[in-house]
Every structure is written in structure tokens, then in C-alpha cells.
Amino acid sequence: MLIRAAGLICAVRPHGEHGAVVRLLTAEHGLRHGYVRGGRSRRLRPVLMPGNGVAAELRARTDTQLAALTVELLESRAPLHGEPMAAAAIDWATALTAIALPEAQPYPRLYAALGGLLAAIEAAPSARLWAGALARYELLLLAELGFGLDLARCAATGAGADLVYVSPRSGQAVSRAAGEPYAARLLPLPGFLLAGGEADWPALLDGFRLTGFFLARDLLGGAREAVLDARERLLARLRRLAGP
């Protein structure tokens, strides 16, 4: 096996005395992992950081063998790991990607979306300007893995307008008129998840509440649940920014 591709570093764990096993997302080859010799060295530690873009080469004699991985830095986001809010967002987005995606299946839309999200975190002066992109990334990941929400029409009436709730049971949108009597049992559907664009803090937190419910229920149960701690740390920071 020989793969040469651009990739986004998603997870790094020590392996042996000096090496590291790295998981990275590529556009054409999906999520891949490989062993980087000397990956814990002073030279490579700044390269092997979640969120960095690299040119990767994976070599293995068989598909079942742990590939040898070499990387060349293309885009460094290492400085962002010194900023608590940006670091928390990168840690969550990359950890979610690393644990949720199956190995070696291409998800080009997710690759592009993750790259765009990381660029937004790097460029935006305020967390409110990239928080919506993160919530939409979570929504896209659910859809790409077969757990997509049906947000096109109301589950009760079939109407396509004024959709403000989601049924936690079916994952289908519900209109304001149909959902008001049951609002306490429904999840809020903020408009930015449908129309894009910026959103205020209450809408952003509603968006994370919605995606978080389905991530926890459908995707991150069992042993994968521990990764949600990274999400909760990020949300705690966002709630403090949002204020009372």
C-alpha cells in the first residue's frame, strides 16, 4: 500500500518510546492512521498537532499492517493551541472526526467542511463567528454517517415554512403551529442551521443542544462517550461568553 495525499491531523497518541500513531483525514482515502517514527521528538511535535494540514505518505506491505507515515507540514495551526477557546474547538472537532469516522472510507464533504471550519477558527476574531460553522459541521457529520435529520418539512403537516422545532424521537422538523402544544418535549431548531449565516448566542447554544442530543444518542454511545467531555469543556467556555 502506498498513499500520498494532503491530510488534516485529527489525533495523535504516543507509541513506544519515541514514536506516535497519528490519525489524519484525507479527501480521497478517508480517515487513515500510521506510525510516525520519532513522532514525539522536538522537531515533529509542532507538526503533529490536531488541526494541522500536512502532506502525508503512508506505506505498508499489507492492508492490515500499521502503515509507516511520514509527514511534511503544509499549514500550521500550532499557535491556536495557545488560545483556550480556539484550542478547545479544534480539540473537539478533530476528536469527533477521529472517533466517529470509519477507517479508509472517503468523505470528501467532511474533509472540505473540516478544513473550512479550521480556517474559520483561525481567521475569526470572535468565537461567535465560528461557533455556527462548528454546529453545522456536527450536523453534516451526522448526515454523512447515516444519522441525518430531516429538516426540510414539518413531520406533522408537511409544511416547509416556519420550522422551529425538531422531534427528538424521529429527528424530523416540526413547524411552530404544530409544535407549540408540545414545545417542552421538542428540541429547538435555530434558523442558522437551515439558512446559514451568523447567529446570536441563544441560537448558537440551541444549535449545539440539538446536534449534541443526536450525537450522544446515535453516534457516541458506549466507549465513544468519553469524547463528549471535550465537547462539554468547549460548551462551558461558550456559555461563559454568552453570559447570563
Side-chain angles (χ1 to χ4, degrees):
M1 181 191 75
L2 173 61
I3 292 174
R4 293 189 179 99
L8 297 168
I9 302 288
C10 290
V12 181
R13 63 177 176 84
H15 187 85
E17 190 172 351
H18 303 292
V21 173
V22 176
R23 298 177 73 85
L24 71 160
L25 183 64
T26 70
E28 296 183 357
H29 306 281
L31 189 70
R32 296 281 176 164
H33 69 283
Y35 173 74
V36 179
R37 185 184 298 274
R40 298 166 66 187
S41 67
R42 183 176 300 178
R43 180 179 68 86
L44 284 177
R45 276 201 305 268
V47 177
L48 300 179
M49 299 189 74
N52 280 358
V54 297
E57 180 179 284
L58 293 121
R59 290 178 177 269
R61 292 182 179 178
T62 68
D63 289 341
T64 58
Q65 182 185 32
L66 178 62
L69 171 63
T70 58
V71 297
E72 179 183 344
L73 184 64
L74 296 178
E75 187 166 10
S76 174
R77 296 187 173 93
L80 295 178
H81 287 269
E83 302 177 18
M85 185 64 71
I90 292 172
D91 285 348
W92 162 242
T94 53
L96 172 63
T97 303
I99 202 168
L101 297 190
E103 190 81 11
Q105 293 188 26
Y107 293 94
R109 292 179 66 201
L110 281 177
Y111 177 80
L114 180 58
L117 170 61
L118 293 169
I121 294 171
E122 188 173 19
S126 165
R128 192 172 68 83
L129 299 179
W130 53 252
L134 177 54
R136 287 192 290 270
Y137 180 73
E138 294 179 344
L139 196 66
L140 175 63
L141 187 140
L142 283 165
E144 290 285 290
L145 293 178
F147 301 104
L149 310 187
D150 183 357
L151 305 181
R153 296 190 177 279
C154 175
T157 67
D162 203 22
L163 303 174
V164 298
Y165 302 109
V166 173
S167 166
R169 178 176 298 180
S170 67
Q172 291 181 281
V174 180
S175 68
R176 189 185 309 274
E180 278 186 348
Y182 315 99
R185 287 181 277 170
L186 299 174
L187 295 165
L189 173 57
F192 79 92
L193 287 180
L194 297 174
E198 295 183 17
D200 59 18
W201 281 117
L204 289 168
L205 294 176
D206 280 346
F208 284 116
R209 178 185 169 195
L210 175 66
T211 55
F213 176 86
F214 291 100
L215 284 171
R217 189 192 74 176
D218 297 333
L219 195 59
L220 299 177
R224 293 177 167 185
E225 188 175 359
V227 76
L228 289 170
D229 289 344
R231 188 178 195 270
E232 188 50 45
R233 289 192 294 271
L234 170 62
L235 290 183
R237 292 182 179 278
L238 293 177
R239 292 187 192 104
R240 287 196 291 272
L241 281 182

